[in-house]
Amino acid sequence: MGKKRNKKTLVWRPKLKSRTPQNEMRNWLDLPRDITISILSRLRAAEILESAQKVCMAWRNFCKDPLMWRTIDMANDGDYDDMFYDLDEMCHHAVDRSCSHLVDINIEHFGSNDLLEYITDSCGGIRRLRLVSCDMIFDEGLGKVASKLTMLEELEISLCNFSCTSLQVVGRSCPLLKSFKFNRSNLSDDAIGVFNYYDENPLRKDDEAFAVAGTMNGLHHLQLFANRLTNDGLMKILDCCPHFESLDLRHCFNLNLKGALGKRCAERIKQLRLPNDSIQDYEFRVAASDCDDYGFYDDPEEDNGFYYDPAEFDCDEYRCYARDFYGYDSDDSDFYDDFTKLGVSDFPF
């Protein structure tokens, strides 16, 4: 007798229906109003004004709710070649939408003294202001609006050109200020020595530190990235600001924190970042190879063979071109395509 073969047992299983039929329709208008507003409010201002509000009339109405504009995020990468709207005009429109409910605004790579004045005139309850690479906002502009920022609690100024005088005015005008960031881009190793060498008056290295110490005594958080302050400036800050919880001194290479001053910082401050600590999480890092001998960003690929001759540059012609090309239309039209009823297969995920 031969070996018995194992009989194969066949098991029948019913075919399960797909939980999400391919032709199922989702109506995003079925979401509760507060959830929809919560989702839309996470978008940047340009995404709301140029995209979200044009989906349908319901979303259009949500986007006109002043509470949607308590926070205005005008973040962008500064690449104007890919931008087809005027950021100043768009910011004006977003501020108008807030109906004076604005409490938090972020301005990056654009802005002017007039825009800053318009924002502070329109909204008296701003608690957080962030300015990044705002080359056309100057000392007089910031100083003029400082008295209208009495509710300000958080201020960030990064990659801008404000003097210690502006910091003093802001400090005196904003008694509720708890968090202050005053940052530059990091310097390449070669540029650090040049940066210190060309500082003509060593006594002025601590001007910004003294401005902070003299007018911002209620600070809990301070970031001074790539600042020129010395031990004298840091000691003055510690003496005058007793409430510190965090202090970021990365790339402040004029400091020597090996002695008693470093010990004082370590014992008193919970979150302390030292000059040589990692800058991996710093937003405005610049690779050493991208810096010129003075530590400034230089991208040779941006030249594209273009030679700039100041004598041939017509400023008026350029302004007209920029205004016409980047004109922003607030688009108050009531006609929109309805994209809220889409099948699951219509989405890329």
Side-chain angles (χ1 to χ4, degrees):
M1 294 178 63
K3 277 186 175 183
K4 291 184 178 180
R5 293 183 179 179
N6 292 329
K7 293 182 178 180
K8 183 181 283 188
T9 304
L10 299 178
V11 179
W12 177 83
R13 294 185 177 89
K15 188 175 181 181
L16 297 177
K17 293 183 179 181
S18 174
R19 291 185 179 181
T20 309
Q22 189 166 356
N23 295 327
E24 180 183 344
M25 305 297 289
R26 291 181 179 177
N27 190 342
W28 300 99
L29 295 179
D30 292 338
L31 287 173
R33 175 186 175 87
D34 57 338
I35 293 179
T36 303
I37 290 180
S38 177
I39 293 172
L40 294 176
S41 64
R42 286 167 167 76
L43 300 176
R44 295 177 180 176
E47 294 167 334
I48 296 173
L49 295 173
E50 290 295 307
S51 299
Q53 73 167 3
K54 299 180 180 181
V55 170
C56 64
M57 279 306 302
W59 283 21
R60 166 73 170 176
N61 291 332
F62 290 152
C63 293
K64 292 174 69 175
D65 187 335
L67 296 181
M68 272 276 298
W69 300 95
R70 287 171 57 83
T71 296
I72 295 177
D73 183 5
M74 296 295 299
N76 64 90
D77 59 8
D79 186 0
Y80 298 108
D81 291 337
D82 294 331
M83 199 173 298
F84 297 96
Y85 40 78
D86 187 314
L87 289 173
D88 280 67
E89 291 296 325
M90 180 176 286
C91 190
H92 269 82
H93 187 57
V95 170
D96 291 341
R97 286 274 184 97
S98 76
C99 297
S100 300
H101 287 86
L102 178 64
V103 296
D104 181 348
I105 185 165
N106 173 36
I107 302 174
E108 298 185 19
H109 303 290
F110 75 101
S112 64
N113 292 346
D114 291 340
L115 175 63
L116 193 59
E117 184 175 6
Y118 183 80
I119 293 170
T120 52
D121 283 345
S122 303
C123 309
I126 296 176
R127 297 181 183 177
R128 180 178 182 271
L129 173 62
R130 186 173 190 255
L131 303 175
V132 177
S133 294
C134 299
D135 296 333
M136 299 306 294
I137 299 179
F138 305 107
D139 280 335
E140 58 269 25
L142 183 59
K144 186 175 182 179
V145 305
S147 61
K148 306 169 190 176
L149 295 170
T150 55
M151 302 297 293
L152 195 67
E153 298 178 4
E154 299 180 37
L155 174 63
E156 177 178 343
I157 299 174
S158 295
L159 314 185
C160 296
N161 299 310
F162 298 117
S163 70
C164 61
T165 303
S166 293
L167 304 189
Q168 291 172 335
V169 175
V170 170
R172 295 191 188 103
S173 304
C174 306
L176 302 181
L177 196 62
K178 299 291 188 296
S179 175
F180 180 50
K181 296 181 179 181
F182 190 69
N183 302 320
R184 296 184 174 89
S185 63
N186 64 297
L187 298 172
S188 66
D189 293 337
D190 293 337
I192 293 169
V194 179
F195 178 68
N196 292 328
Y197 178 80
Y198 280 94
D199 193 352
E200 297 178 0
N201 188 350
L203 297 177
R204 301 196 62 183
K205 290 182 179 180
D206 289 313
D207 281 357
E208 294 159 354
F210 289 155
V212 171
T215 63
M216 304 181 186
N217 308 131
L219 287 180
H220 288 236
H221 309 279
L222 176 63
Q223 184 178 66
L224 296 173
F225 192 96
N227 197 272
R228 301 174 301 171
L229 84 163
T230 67
N231 284 24
D232 292 338
L234 179 56
M235 288 179 63
K236 187 69 173 177
I237 290 176
L238 294 176
D239 289 340
C240 298
C241 304
H243 308 296
F244 274 139
E245 298 175 25
S246 67
L247 179 61
D248 189 344
L249 300 170
R250 286 176 293 173
H251 270 230
C252 296
F253 293 115
N254 288 329
L255 292 173
N256 181 356
L257 301 178
K258 294 182 179 179
L261 181 58
K263 183 178 179 181
R264 181 182 177 186
C265 291
E267 292 176 348
R268 175 179 159 185
I269 300 169
K270 296 178 182 178
Q271 299 178 14
L272 178 65
R273 309 293 293 272
L274 300 175
N276 289 303
D277 283 356
S278 171
I279 61 171
Q280 190 65 36
D281 62 342
Y282 185 61
E283 182 177 356
F284 309 110
R285 289 188 302 123
V286 177
S289 59
D290 292 335
C291 294
D292 61 16
D293 291 338
Y294 298 92
F296 298 108
Y297 179 74
D298 180 26
D299 186 355
E301 294 183 2
E302 291 296 322
D303 293 339
N304 295 322
F306 174 75
Y307 173 72
Y308 167 66
D309 185 355
E312 298 179 1
F313 187 74
D314 188 337
C315 293
D316 292 333
E317 180 181 349
Y318 173 77
R319 290 192 190 99
C320 292
Y321 170 79
R323 182 173 61 251
D324 292 341
F325 188 68
Y326 299 120
Y328 169 69
D329 181 3
S330 60
D331 190 6
D332 288 325
S333 171
D334 289 335
F335 298 97
Y336 296 94
D337 293 324
D338 190 343
F339 297 112
T340 57
K341 297 179 180 179
L342 298 175
V344 175
S345 60
D346 294 323
F347 291 89
F349 47 82

